[in-house]
Amino acid sequence: MTAKESDFEHIDRSSASGGLDTPIQFCPGVGPRRAQLLEKMAIYTVRDLLWRFPRGYEDYQHVSSIAHLAPGGAATVIGEVIYVEARRPRGKSRVRHILQATVRDPGGELEVVWFNQHYLADKVRQGARLRLHGKVDGRAPFFKMSSPKLTVLGEDGEAAPGGIQPLYPLTEGLTQNVVRKIARSALERFSPDIVEWIPAPILEQYGFPARAEAFRVLHAPRPDEGAPVDSAPPEEGLLFDPAADAEEEGSGYSLSGDPARAWERARRRLVFEEFLLHQYSLRRVQGEMKQIAGMAHPAPVPDPFAAGEPPDEWTLNSSDPLAWPACFIRDLPFELTAEQKKVCLEFQADMLSGAPMNRLLQGDVGSGKTVVSIYAMVLAAAGGSQAAMMVPTEILARQHAASLRRFTQSIPALQSVVLTGAVKGAERREILNAIKTGAAQLVIGTHALFQEGVEFNRLGLVVVDEQHKFGVEQRERLIEKGEHPDLIAATATPIPRTLSLTVFGDMDVSMIATLPPGRPPVITRWTQWFNERKVWGFVDEKLALGQQAYIVCPAIEPSEAKPDLPSTEAMYERIASEFLPHRRIAMLHGKQSNEEKDSLMNLARGGELDALVATTVIEVGVDLPNATLMVVLGADRFGLAQLHQLRGRVGRGTEKSYCILITPEQISPIAEQRMRLMEKTRDGFVIAEEDLRLRGPGEAFGARQSGHVRFHLADPLRDAELLRDAHQCAQSLYRADPGLADPAHQPLKQEIDGLYGRMEARRPS
Ligand code: ADP
Ligand code: MG
């Protein structure tokens, strides 16, 4: 008995029985030192290793020797840089930058030149091994290539292996060859542990290969299996060419027999698998939700959206709670747009019904999401329950509380409180008490809301504003403070339908597609530092008219390491002393105390400040209607979505507004595209999609936003078609066998349970 037990222990440690959960250290060829390095890349087990797919492949079958090149045709060579020089031609040439290199392989030397691609200087370094693909010019033995496509290879590929070699993501201390060997032996050794869990009829329907085979093909494709080896340099994860997928559109999966499509079939299978698991678990959670009775809020009397006389004619008694929603609508300082009314009605219908509301509220920056959310909160309060609104920053909490109080002035019985991390001591106790007893019907707060110690009397509605700033768990923790309260998750980040499927499953969507009337367009201009003085002159003119400006910097303090990164401290100094000394300017950033930020925002709102030099603390939600100027310094440092959010801070009043983006003269081509797009469009949807495209698959915010689940291979945008299929497949599986009792579904059940087990184990505390 004891002997057996110790046997077991032995086996366990040395991994044979651990299956894919075997710690990476016990994988052949790893050991403690390499295990540490792999763990740095979040590879803890064999499973993690197998799911870390190559970011591309090198084709060693078609590499030419430099000595045998033929001029006029295209060729691929591999060689070492033995000389490199960067030059800037003088005079008025269109060529601003020339990079020239000599590359040598065992048979000869090749001259290579690139024009205006200064960013390549990082890659083309003395001693680097390059794979070049391009048209061959010159004449033997003096061959040349002009602007060839370029891949930097690891130092260890000396004895160029044949066939197709995977290119893995690396970390310092691990070479390509080492990781290749580890992956290959893991694949051989653990292949029997790769359990097939997709039911056979589904595999058949889509023509997918078996699971172990799919892993084999992606890690070790054979030359004829159609792995994407071609000449495109594997820049920023673009190797899995989206264009190749598009080609296939319509042809469905019937390409099953063709051996040259084996790689693509394997990829699709694993993408589908990731989606199916995720969709199935979402579906299961939703199935459980639907069985739950939510809160049926009572109907407002009168119904403010029923047809009839205009609201200003209503005589209402605000001491009757059921009249509060109508009071609110009657007393708003503006009329809701048709779309805002439609959204209010959607909320209302869901809230009056017995099932829990689960709604995503989408609308571009400035479309007026706050006011409709507040309407739902008033409706909840009218029915005798509490409503909580969670926002990402202190500034925003205060601002929404102020709007809420302004909009509900005529309803004295409606009590609201603000709970943030900054509220301390006796005040905090008092507020917590008001929430607990129900004395406060409306609660607005930050992350402080879902912490322990916050108890509600009867939480009937949760609003999560700027929901993309919160994790799914944070949202859930707030929801758990009530008994299946209704949920509204508001976001200005437009989410294409395919992505919202991955993030929210079948969440209902409400959309405000138009801005309130009378909004002037925001004019966006991109310029460089040499124009700075002119920009401040322009800003000064506008400030003289009593308008206000935001000046945004990517950093708070100047940094020696990044001297060209504009910081609020340095810029504030410069602007306040040199450019706009006669204006009232203040600095606003995350290192200030909450009181300080608060009082600055109040001063700004009261017109006692002309300009704020700020960090992106002002990015979300901040509403200063009198601000007409947004100057973003070092704009190339910001992503598109962020720039769009920042720009959304202006153009909220009736004055013409401007957004000025300032960058260095030389920025990367991608940054340049971002600037041009900002100048060209104000449409949040276009910007969001373009943002995804420019960032490339993998960085897709769908992956980031999907809460627990990080996709390894799947990209909801690129693989939209597979996502839809997986979604349907999950629906019908769930419908046919909700408890997964069918013996044929046992592997699926285990996979899902395992996924959740691993998620729990990994969850950061
Ligand atoms: P967002 O959708 O970005 O959260 P807000 O809710 O902050 O937008 O609204 C932007 C501004 O528009 C606020 O000052 C708000 O009071 C105002 N607003 C909202 N709806 C209307 C409307 N129907 N007519 C006029 N102004 C409105
Ligand atoms: Mg908002």
Side-chain angles (χ1 to χ4, degrees):
M1 194 62 179
T2 8
K4 270 215 175 115
E5 262 173 28
S6 70
D7 262 353
F8 243 107
E9 259 182 59
H10 172 73
I11 290 172
D12 237 25
R13 287 229 194 88
S14 73
S15 85
S17 72
L20 300 187
D21 290 320
T22 301
I24 193 66
Q25 177 176 350
F26 303 118
C27 183
V30 180
R33 201 186 60 84
R34 283 182 180 162
Q36 263 184 8
L37 294 172
L38 288 165
E39 281 170 15
K40 263 209 248 159
M41 297 196 293
I43 297 176
Y44 302 96
T45 63
V46 170
R47 181 191 325 273
D48 297 335
L49 179 72
L50 291 181
W51 275 105
R52 198 59 62 89
F53 293 105
R55 60 185 162 79
Y57 303 88
E58 281 173 12
D59 182 355
Y60 289 91
Q61 305 171 93
H62 302 113
V63 174
S64 310
S65 150
I66 291 177
H68 299 119
L69 289 175
T76 303
V77 301
I78 290 180
E80 183 186 336
V81 178
I82 54 170
Y83 170 81
V84 59
E85 182 191 350
R87 276 188 289 130
R88 283 169 185 278
R90 264 174 287 181
K92 280 200 171 168
S93 162
R94 270 197 316 131
V95 176
R96 280 171 297 149
H97 190 280
I98 298 180
L99 189 66
Q100 194 167 4
T102 308
V103 170
R104 178 167 66 195
D105 79 357
E109 289 178 10
L110 175 73
E111 287 298 317
V112 189
V113 64
W114 289 273
F115 301 102
N116 291 341
Q117 300 186 59
H118 54 94
Y119 50 91
L120 288 181
D122 269 358
K123 303 182 171 180
V124 182
R125 293 213 162 128
Q126 181 92 20
R129 288 190 66 248
L130 305 180
R131 178 170 174 270
L132 302 169
H133 180 90
K135 191 167 157 274
V136 180
D137 292 319
R139 179 174 306 178
F142 304 111
F143 292 117
K144 293 184 206 157
M145 274 189 188
S146 175
S147 301
K149 289 183 179 171
L150 156 76
T151 314
V152 181
L153 306 181
E155 327 80 53
D156 55 337
E158 292 311 337
I164 301 220
Q165 292 293 328
L167 279 168
Y168 288 100
L170 297 176
T171 188
E172 202 171 320
L174 282 174
T175 61
Q176 201 55 257
N177 267 0
V178 166
V179 180
R180 279 175 188 164
K181 276 191 204 125
I182 296 173
R184 190 161 291 221
S185 45
L187 200 63
E188 273 163 26
R189 168 93 166 258
F190 293 95
S191 187
D193 293 311
I194 303 178
V195 177
E196 178 61 77
W197 59 263
I198 297 188
I202 298 174
L203 284 184
E204 219 162 284
Q205 178 185 352
Y206 293 103
F208 288 144
R211 193 157 185 245
E213 172 65 2
F215 276 96
R216 199 278 300 155
V217 173
L218 287 201
H219 284 286
R222 294 198 260 277
D224 56 356
E225 290 180 322
V229 283
D230 198 354
S231 32
E235 252 186 295
E236 330 223 356
L238 278 173
L239 207 107
F240 298 146
D241 183 6
D245 275 11
E247 242 168 63
E248 236 153 61
E249 204 101 61
S251 65
Y253 305 93
S254 54
L255 39 99
S256 46
D258 183 358
R261 311 300 297 189
W263 186 88
E264 184 55 20
R265 275 198 308 277
R267 188 189 76 82
R268 283 173 170 260
R269 187 228 132 97
L270 291 169
V271 166
F272 183 85
E273 157 170 348
E274 281 198 289
F275 282 145
L276 181 59
L277 265 191
H278 181 232
Q279 290 296 311
Y280 188 87
S281 32
L282 277 178
R283 181 68 189 81
R284 192 162 72 167
V285 171
Q286 272 155 6
E288 284 159 9
M289 288 267 298
K290 289 259 155 73
Q291 323 226 320
I292 291 165
M295 204 172 278
H297 301 263
V301 185
D303 182 339
F305 298 109
E309 72 228 50
D312 5 324
E313 313 273 302
W314 292 338
T315 42
L316 300 168
N317 174 7
S318 73
S319 59
D320 171 12
L322 289 180
W324 293 349
C327 288
F328 175 83
I329 296 297
R330 180 193 60 186
D331 298 337
L332 276 179
F334 43 76
E335 195 184 347
L336 293 181
T337 63
E339 307 214 22
Q340 285 173 316
K341 286 182 191 162
K342 178 199 71 188
V343 169
C344 286
L345 269 171
E346 285 165 355
F347 291 164
Q348 186 164 312
D350 280 5
M351 289 173 70
L352 303 196
S353 89
M357 168 163 74
N358 189 23
R359 246 178 210 284
L360 183 66
L361 169 58
Q362 283 197 356
D364 208 346
V365 198
S367 59
K369 294 182 291 297
T370 313
V371 64
V372 296
S373 306
I374 295 179
Y375 175 74
M377 293 173 79
V378 172
L379 189 63
S385 56
Q386 290 169 293
M389 179 188 259
M390 182 158 71
V391 301
T393 65
E394 169 97 18
I395 293 179
L396 206 49
R398 302 276 165 203
Q399 179 186 292
H400 279 358
S403 316
L404 189 146
R405 288 188 185 129
R406 190 155 45 93
F407 292 156
T408 59
Q409 261 167 10
S410 61
I411 315 172
L414 209 46
Q415 293 296 313
S416 62
V417 291
V418 177
L419 182 70
T420 69
V423 181
K424 298 253 152 65
E427 192 191 356
R428 186 177 195 88
R429 279 195 296 279
E430 211 171 286
I431 288 176
L432 287 177
N433 195 47
I435 300 175
K436 187 171 175 181
T437 59
Q441 300 104 325
L442 307 181
V443 183
I444 297 186
T446 55
H447 297 74
L449 280 184
F450 60 76
Q451 308 299 334
E452 258 172 64
V454 183
E455 278 175 61
F456 287 83
N457 180 43
R458 191 164 184 265
L459 181 59
L461 170 71
V462 167
V463 178
V464 181
D465 192 29
E466 308 287 346
Q467 73 85 30
H468 56 284
K469 295 277 172 183
F470 294 96
V472 178
E473 289 134 274
Q474 301 181 320
R475 189 168 85 192
E476 288 308 309
R477 279 171 69 185
L478 180 53
I479 287 175
E480 280 162 14
K481 292 191 182 286
E483 297 218 359
H484 316 299
D486 289 318
L487 170 72
I488 296 169
T491 184
T493 309
I495 304 176
R497 177 69 188 144
T498 48
L499 285 185
S500 77
L501 256 189
T502 64
V503 186
F504 306 105
D506 282 335
M507 208 168 177
D508 299 305
V509 179
S510 285
M511 178 81 194
I512 307 177
T514 51
L515 299 181
R519 293 280 173 83
V522 180
I523 296 163
T524 303
R525 286 289 170 266
W526 168 38
T527 183
Q528 282 93 5
W529 283 105
F530 64 78
N531 261 326
E532 192 190 0
R533 184 167 292 278
K534 242 197 230 163
V535 170
W536 300 130
F538 179 73
V539 170
D540 195 33
E541 274 171 36
K542 297 292 168 183
L543 299 189
L545 300 174
Q547 302 174 10
Q548 291 169 304
Y550 297 102
I551 299 160
V552 175
C553 304
I556 299 179
E557 292 160 5
S559 128
E560 276 182 31
K562 294 178 180 161
D564 52 351
L565 197 64
S567 67
T568 49
E569 282 181 3
M571 288 311 296
Y572 173 77
E573 279 295 307
R574 251 155 70 89
I575 297 168
S577 62
E578 187 178 337
F579 293 110
L580 304 169
H582 48 294
R583 299 292 170 204
R584 297 163 302 173
I585 301 178
M587 222 188 333
L588 185 76
H589 56 68
K591 283 200 182 161
Q592 286 163 329
S593 75
N594 286 309
E595 290 84 49
E596 214 172 330
K597 279 186 272 186
D598 236 22
S599 74
L600 283 172
M601 284 311 294
N602 282 336
L603 285 178
R605 214 161 275 135
E608 288 171 57
L609 283 175
D610 300 312
L612 285 170
V613 181
T615 55
T616 51
V617 283
I618 56 127
E619 172 191 337
V620 288
V622 168
D623 190 32
L624 274 186
N626 197 34
T628 57
L629 285 162
M630 165 66 60
V631 183
V632 185
L633 304 174
D636 51 313
R637 304 290 175 144
F638 297 100
L640 268 178
Q642 217 173 5
L643 289 171
H644 182 63
Q645 287 277 335
L646 283 170
R647 177 169 58 183
R649 300 306 119 221
V650 295
R652 298 186 150 234
T654 46
E655 293 297 333
K656 197 162 165 185
S657 296
Y658 299 86
C659 173
I660 301 168
L661 308 170
I662 302 187
T663 71
E665 274 167 70
Q666 294 236 329
I667 57 176
S668 73
I670 291 204
E672 190 173 325
Q673 284 187 52
R674 288 205 294 267
M675 300 306 127
R676 298 219 181 278
L677 192 75
M678 285 297 294
E679 285 190 314
K680 212 169 58 192
T681 179
R682 300 178 55 219
D683 184 326
F685 261 101
V686 173
I687 288 176
E689 300 213 329
E690 205 51 21
D691 193 24
L692 284 170
R693 201 182 61 76
L694 288 179
R695 277 194 266 174
E699 209 355 77
F701 70 91
R704 236 189 322 121
Q705 288 207 337
S706 41
H708 306 305
V709 184
R710 252 184 184 287
F711 296 119
H712 295 271
L713 200 57
D715 175 337
L717 205 66
R718 178 197 56 197
D719 302 317
E721 189 195 350
L722 284 163
L723 173 57
R724 274 189 298 270
D725 290 344
H727 175 72
Q728 303 228 300
C729 189
Q731 300 285 340
S732 42
L733 269 173
Y734 183 83
R735 243 177 271 128
D737 183 13
L740 292 180
D742 184 339
H745 294 156
Q746 288 323 292
L748 167 61
K749 185 168 188 302
Q750 272 162 20
E751 191 66 26
I752 286 190
D753 294 345
L755 179 72
Y756 275 92
R758 286 196 297 281
M759 242 152 50
E760 287 299 321
R762 290 277 169 79
R763 185 183 289 192
S765 44

